[in-house]
Amino acid sequence: IELKWKGISVEECSSILSAFAAEYVQVTYADFLSLNYETRTFYAGDQLAPLVWWTEQGQIIEELSFNIIEV
């Protein structure tokens, strides 16, 4: 599953990365084919989060993206 966030704060980026810091994580997501929610075990692929914007409110991450791969 490809995950992507755009224009988030450094704090939000840190929270997301912390949620996927463990070697394996349980993720619940909507399976639109079966119209049910599925919970499965995943690990995170390489994480990319370039810092590109500076604002009066602080730093903004252009995009945080990574894939999660089912075990």
Side-chain angles (χ1 to χ4, degrees), residues 29-51:
Y29 62 94
D31 180 351
F32 294 108
L33 294 176
S34 67
L35 301 175
N36 291 313
Y37 285 94
E38 299 283 337
T39 299
R40 305 229 173 139
T41 302
F42 292 85
Y43 66 92
D46 294 338
Q47 299 163 335
L48 179 62
L51 173 67

